[in-house]
Amino acid sequence: MMMARKQDVRIPTYNISVVGLSGTEKEKGQCGIGKSCLCNRFVRPSADEFHLDHTSVLSTSDFGGRVVNNDHFLYWGEVSRSLEDCVECKMHIVEQTEFIDDQTFQPHRSTALQPYIKRAAATKLASAEKLMYFCTDQLGLEQDFEQKQMPDGKLLVDGFLLGIDVSRGMNRNFDDQLKFVSNLYNQLAKTKKPIVVVLTKCDEGVERYIRDAHTFALSKKNLQVVETSARSNVNVDLAFSTLVQLIDKSRGKTKIIPYFEALKQQSQQIATAKDKYEWLVSRIVKNHNENWLSVSRKMQASPEYQDYVYLEGTQKAKKLFLQHIHRLKHEHIERRRKLYLAALPLAFEALIPNLDEIDHLSCIKAKKLLETKSEFLKWFVVLEETPWDATNHIDNMENERIPFDLMDTVPAEQLYEAHLEKLRNERKRVEMRRAFKENLETSPFITPGKPWEEARSFIMNEDFYQWLEESVYMDIYGKHQKQIIDKAKEEFQELLLEYSELFYELELDAKPSKEKMGVIQDVLGEEQRFKALQKLQAERDALILKHIHFVYHPTKETCPSCPACVDAKIEHLISSRFIRPSDRNQKNSLSDPNIDRINLVILGKDGLARELANEIRALCTNDDKYVIDGKMYELSLRPIEGNVRLPVNSFQTPTFQPHGCLCLYNSKESLSYVVESIEKSRESTLGRRDNHLVHLPLTLILVNKRGDTSGETLHSLIQQGQQIASKLQCVFLDPASRSWLGIAGLGPRARQDFCLCGRDLER
């Protein structure tokens, strides 16, 4: 029973008529006062359904259509609302206007011929089969819109909304409007129906007009006034709910909110909805190639999307989406631009590293020079369309090459200038390093062992001092100190050799006394080579003691050149690379058990092999024997300088089985000859039982060209030789190994003289 009674409760329905200044352009100006927009916003509050253009100038056919139905009023339809007291109600909205003929620009003739003021105050409206009005586009196309008729073709008006336009209307005098409204109010008052004054277009309101409108309302029995803006959707619902409260006294009284306070609330609501919608878009849309159609479908079920579209409309939602897409695209392009600009200095270093080539070129001329480089397309891509950031190239993630038209931009020009400056600074630093080295070499203040802290004060005022870092100066200074210290030590050793008689009277294996050391220092003290080591006294004394030991024990262990002593190198070479006769067939052994036999192949080009063979034979005894530390070896030498595949140049013969091979080179060509000859010799014995040539001990030796002082060429040949030796798995000897073969046969006493005058013999 309770449920049945609740269902039987009828929802109250109120019929509201919206009236205000209407007529021809002469009466109302070029535009209306906003009655239609007010009704539109209230009946269909969604932003997508709100239309600003509701013309009153119609053709005869449109006026006679079922929507207008030959009436000077519009039926806007039925609206359900829950007002402030949370009780639901229904409202039927009509708008009293005056339609103008587009031919005569005079009001259309209708069944009701009364003037607008009298007609607008009608409380009984009838129009058979009249359709609900949506917008101007509906006229003539009624079948494309929902066709809902006015209830029973009749409406009894319960109250009026009296509109006053407070904006600066075109060709309209506000005082004339107020006079019209005053007359209209007098007619409405006769109906005894509630009236609420609605100020329209307050978003463009003139302060005086608003003030005068309030004064008018106060003068007419203290009428309720609601300040509205249909365009901004401010206080529209409040105007209708205020009238409903006046119609139905049982409802709670509505609080009237001033326009600017209501506008602030509306703006906050829109701002909140916008923030939520933008968050939704940023969460869903991660790629700048997304399109609105697919994304809007994804978002349709989201309340963030629905709320914002309701308040601001689909077009504004789409605009925010496009702004987000534009922002994503801009960020993507900027990331690509940063990658390209980061790669540009590397491209400059690879393609134009030579300052002499570009020092005089502008960025435009340098761009033309880049195109001529062989590796240009490795670094750059030339696009058919430009600029690059407006083409599909921005999405070609696999192509990391730099768009060439980027060179026309200011950042690229700045990077080119920075590249130029870098090359100039590098050249300047190289010059300053050289100047610093030359300064060290010529400065009389830089002596062996002087600390950097003391030396720095002598160079701080030089031009080069401001160009390099402290660590660079210290490194160069450290290397220079090592060079002059080594040279000073070497010269001091020569000084000791020149004064050998000072050490002959010392006792064998005895450490010299302080007096004897004093005598030695007194004798040598005036020598510049002695003074050069005054900051390295401990090392100088150690050299004296070492020399004393060498005088009485002239061996490779006590040699001043140790660990570069040639005796030690030769001994190690022979013991590690040559195979002794005890490991070979009996036919290769000598009749004398105290003599070992060594068969050596000497491989060289352009006379190198023959020259070394002659020098070795010159060091041997008359019967081709060579003595090292009391051990005698019989040498048999086979110099080869031609094609090793020919029998005359073969490594082995029926009477000659090589025990090792000395490979000589002094140029790239001679090194290539050595490598090719070794490979040919090994290939010729593959598959044979006697393939010991594959494992034949090899020694690769770099021979100085006489008169060659090119350090760079020598350094390059050493590097190449080391690489080949590593590949062939053999020993490598360079010019720093000294004259190992020439020294090997010297006796202990003669070696002391060699340290003074024979140290730098050529091979």
Side-chain angles (χ1 to χ4, degrees):
M1 294 295 292
M2 294 287 292
M3 181 68 71
R5 277 200 297 270
K6 186 173 183 181
Q7 290 178 346
D8 289 342
V9 175
R10 297 183 63 185
I11 299 175
T13 302
Y14 309 101
N15 300 323
I16 297 174
S17 178
V18 180
V19 299
L21 176 63
S22 296
T24 64
E25 185 174 325
K26 181 180 179 181
E27 286 93 20
K28 68 179 180 61
Q30 291 184 359
C31 59
I33 68 164
K35 300 188 300 298
S36 297
C37 288
L38 187 73
C39 296
N40 186 171
R41 181 67 84 177
F42 180 68
V43 176
R44 282 174 281 279
S46 172
D48 285 340
E49 296 181 291
F50 177 68
H51 305 277
L52 282 171
D53 184 19
H54 295 280
T55 182
S56 60
V57 179
L58 303 177
S59 65
T60 302
S61 60
D62 288 341
F63 183 75
R66 289 184 59 193
V67 174
V68 180
N69 214 27
N70 292 309
D71 300 315
H72 283 281
F73 73 89
L74 294 173
Y75 170 62
W76 279 91
E78 180 183 275
V79 180
S80 295
R81 284 285 195 278
S82 293
L83 303 180
E84 288 189 357
D85 53 8
C86 298
V87 177
E88 186 176 357
C89 68
K90 290 183 179 179
M91 288 174 257
H92 292 286
I93 310 300
V94 295
E95 175 196 351
Q96 288 287 357
T97 185
E98 191 158 59
F99 290 107
I100 307 301
D101 191 327
D102 63 356
Q103 297 294 324
T104 65
F105 294 99
Q106 295 298 317
H108 279 283
R109 297 180 62 83
S110 67
T111 54
L113 299 177
Q114 304 100 326
Y116 175 82
I117 289 178
K118 188 172 183 179
R119 186 173 66 245
T123 58
K124 295 180 181 180
L125 302 176
S127 185
E129 298 184 351
K130 186 178 182 67
L131 295 180
M132 178 176 62
Y133 171 76
F134 284 90
C135 60
T136 303
D137 294 341
Q138 177 189 10
L139 303 180
L141 299 171
E142 290 84 358
Q143 68 277 6
D144 294 342
F145 293 80
E146 181 185 0
Q147 296 187 358
K148 188 173 182 179
Q149 295 184 15
M150 191 171 76
D152 300 328
K154 297 179 181 179
L155 281 177
L156 298 177
V157 176
D158 296 311
F160 297 93
L161 287 180
L162 176 56
I164 301 177
D165 184 355
V166 294
S167 70
R168 198 179 303 276
M170 297 182 65
N171 297 332
R172 183 198 307 147
N173 184 282
F174 181 77
D175 294 334
D176 291 342
Q177 179 191 187
L178 209 56
K179 183 177 180 180
F180 180 93
V181 169
S182 180
N183 293 332
L184 178 57
Y185 168 76
N186 292 335
Q187 193 68 31
L188 296 175
K190 295 177 182 180
T191 65
K192 308 297 183 182
K193 301 293 183 180
I195 303 170
V196 171
V197 175
V198 179
L199 306 188
T200 61
K201 304 183 185 180
C202 285
D203 55 320
E204 301 175 356
V206 178
E207 186 176 352
R208 183 181 73 83
Y209 297 168
I210 296 173
R211 188 170 59 249
D212 290 350
H214 277 279
T215 302
F216 163 78
L218 285 174
S219 67
K220 305 298 182 181
K221 296 183 181 180
N222 200 18
L223 290 175
Q224 295 272 34
V225 180
V226 180
E227 301 170 348
T228 69
S229 169
R231 190 200 316 243
S232 302
N233 196 12
V234 175
N235 280 347
V236 174
D237 279 12
L238 179 62
F240 287 87
S241 63
T242 300
L243 181 58
V244 168
Q245 189 273 327
L246 293 177
I247 296 171
D248 187 352
K249 299 295 184 180
S250 65
R251 292 183 172 276
K253 188 174 182 180
T254 304
K255 179 183 177 182
I256 305 298
I257 303 174
Y259 173 77
F260 287 106
E261 182 179 341
L263 177 63
K264 182 179 179 180
Q265 294 176 2
Q266 176 73 0
S267 300
Q268 290 175 344
Q269 183 182 5
I270 292 174
T272 301
K274 180 182 178 183
D275 289 343
K276 292 181 179 180
Y277 170 70
E278 288 181 327
W279 169 84
L280 176 67
V281 172
S282 65
R283 183 171 60 86
I284 293 177
V285 182
K286 302 294 185 182
N287 190 304
H288 65 272
N289 291 315
E290 295 275 10
N291 63 77
W292 169 249
L293 184 61
S294 62
V295 171
S296 60
R297 287 175 181 172
K298 294 178 185 178
M299 296 190 296
Q300 277 180 350
S302 302
E304 295 86 358
Y305 173 81
Q306 295 171 355
D307 291 347
Y308 185 73
V309 169
Y310 176 83
L311 291 171
E312 292 285 81
T314 304
Q315 287 305 313
K316 286 192 176 181
K318 182 179 180 180
K319 183 178 180 180
L320 289 178
F321 162 80
L322 293 177
Q323 288 175 355
H324 178 69
I325 289 294
H326 178 76
R327 188 161 50 249
L328 289 179
K329 184 176 181 179
H330 177 73
E331 292 172 354
H332 175 73
I333 291 174
E334 287 307 306
R335 283 194 296 270
R336 299 281 283 177
R337 190 192 311 277
K338 289 180 180 178
L339 289 174
Y340 293 143
L341 292 177
L344 201 53
L346 301 178
F348 291 153
E349 291 177 6
L351 301 178
I352 46 176
N354 188 350
L355 178 61
D356 293 333
E357 187 178 27
I358 62 173
D359 198 10
H360 60 288
L361 296 184
S362 65
C363 187
I364 296 176
K365 292 182 179 179
K367 181 181 176 183
K368 294 180 180 179
L369 176 64
L370 286 171
E371 293 183 273
T372 65
K373 299 299 181 179
S374 59
E375 292 192 347
F376 170 74
L377 293 179
K378 175 183 175 182
W379 291 93
F380 292 96
V381 57
V382 180
L383 302 175
E384 294 182 1
E385 299 179 7
T386 57
W388 68 272
D389 52 5
T391 68
N392 294 331
H393 182 73
I394 63 173
D395 294 323
N396 189 354
M397 304 304 293
E398 295 181 357
N399 193 343
E400 296 181 352
R401 292 182 295 167
I402 305 167
F404 196 47
D405 61 294
L406 187 71
M407 284 292 296
D408 297 328
T409 63
V410 173
E413 184 176 354
Q414 292 173 344
L415 288 174
Y416 171 71
E417 294 297 333
H419 176 66
L420 270 179
E421 189 66 19
K422 178 184 176 184
L423 293 181
R424 289 166 181 160
N425 288 339
E426 286 178 353
R427 173 179 287 182
K428 189 68 175 180
R429 281 192 289 269
V430 170
E431 293 174 356
M432 293 302 101
R433 288 172 67 96
R434 183 167 58 249
F436 180 51
K437 291 179 181 178
E438 292 174 355
N439 183 277
L440 292 178
E441 292 170 357
T442 58
S443 175
F445 304 106
I446 307 303
T447 57
K450 177 169 288 189
W452 164 247
E453 290 73 15
E454 296 181 18
R456 178 170 51 188
S457 59
F458 295 109
I459 62 171
M460 288 180 63
N461 295 326
E462 300 290 344
D463 292 339
F464 52 74
Y465 187 72
Q466 305 300 325
W467 277 88
L468 304 176
E469 297 178 357
E470 183 80 2
S471 58
V472 176
Y473 289 118
M474 293 178 64
D475 180 63
I476 297 173
Y477 185 77
K479 292 178 179 178
H480 177 72
Q481 274 293 322
K482 185 178 184 306
Q483 291 176 355
I484 62 176
I485 289 174
D486 290 345
K487 182 179 179 181
K489 287 182 178 180
E490 185 176 345
E491 291 177 348
F492 183 66
Q493 287 175 349
E494 292 178 355
L495 176 65
L496 295 178
L497 289 170
E498 293 175 8
Y499 285 85
S500 297
E501 64 276 4
L502 283 174
F503 309 100
Y504 292 158
E505 299 176 358
L506 298 176
E507 296 180 8
L508 188 61
D509 296 331
K511 184 176 181 180
S513 63
K514 290 184 179 180
E515 292 76 10
K516 184 59 179 177
M517 287 294 289
V519 171
I520 294 174
Q521 292 180 0
D522 289 341
V523 173
L524 303 178
E526 296 302 319
E527 289 283 348
Q528 182 59 37
R529 288 172 286 181
F530 182 86
K531 295 178 180 179
L533 293 174
Q534 62 182 357
K535 287 186 175 295
L536 301 169
Q537 294 184 11
E539 296 184 33
R540 186 172 61 188
D541 292 345
L543 289 174
I544 293 175
L545 294 176
K546 184 176 181 180
H547 182 74
I548 293 173
H549 196 53
F550 172 67
V551 170
Y552 291 95
H553 299 278
T555 65
K556 60 180 179 294
E557 288 80 11
T558 60
C559 178
S561 297
C562 187
C565 180
V566 178
D567 280 7
K569 286 193 174 185
I570 291 300
E571 183 175 319
H572 174 73
L573 175 64
I574 293 176
S575 63
S576 62
R577 307 303 292 177
F578 295 153
I579 303 174
R580 294 181 178 276
S582 58
D583 299 328
R584 301 195 177 278
N585 296 332
Q586 188 63 33
K587 64 179 180 179
N588 292 326
S589 61
L590 302 173
S591 58
D592 187 348
N594 294 321
I595 299 177
D596 285 340
R597 183 175 184 82
I598 299 176
N599 294 338
L600 280 181
V601 171
I602 303 178
L603 183 63
K605 188 181 180 183
D606 299 330
L608 288 179
R610 292 191 301 273
E611 183 178 354
L612 180 60
N614 292 335
E615 290 187 12
I616 293 175
R617 290 190 181 102
L619 296 173
C620 295
T621 60
N622 293 332
D623 53 354
D624 288 338
K625 292 183 177 59
Y626 196 89
V627 179
I628 300 178
D629 289 343
K631 180 67 177 179
M632 184 171 291
Y633 296 88
E634 182 170 331
L635 290 179
S636 180
L637 305 178
R638 181 173 176 77
I640 297 175
E641 297 187 349
N643 189 347
V644 296
R645 287 184 176 174
L646 298 177
V648 68
N649 294 321
S650 176
F651 273 36
Q652 63 181 5
T653 67
T655 60
F656 184 89
Q657 294 294 327
H659 302 148
C661 178
L662 299 178
C663 306
L664 312 179
Y665 76 100
N666 62 359
S667 63
K668 292 182 180 179
E669 291 76 17
S670 57
L671 181 60
S672 298
Y673 165 78
V674 167
V675 175
E676 291 173 2
S677 298
I678 296 299
E679 291 176 349
K680 289 177 182 178
S681 297
R682 290 179 174 178
E683 289 173 1
S684 65
T685 58
L686 287 177
R688 293 166 51 183
R689 290 186 179 181
D690 57 338
N691 63 346
H692 69 277
L693 289 182
V694 176
H695 305 289
L696 184 69
L698 305 173
T699 298
L700 183 62
I701 303 173
L702 171 60
V703 181
N704 267 355
K705 293 182 180 179
R706 298 186 183 277
D708 186 3
T709 59
S710 175
E712 293 183 357
T713 303
L714 179 60
H715 181 69
S716 174
L717 290 175
I718 290 174
Q719 284 187 330
Q720 295 177 34
Q722 290 172 340
Q723 293 173 0
I724 296 300
S726 175
K727 178 180 177 182
L728 298 177
Q729 296 182 347
C730 67
V731 172
F732 173 73
L733 295 177
D734 58 51
S737 302
R738 307 283 183 175
S739 180
W740 59 269
L741 192 59
I743 304 170
L746 298 177
R749 192 64 182 175
R751 288 192 186 91
Q752 180 176 333
D753 295 335
F754 170 77
C755 291
L756 179 62
C757 61
R759 188 172 298 155
D760 296 321
L761 291 175
E762 292 181 340
R763 296 181 185 224

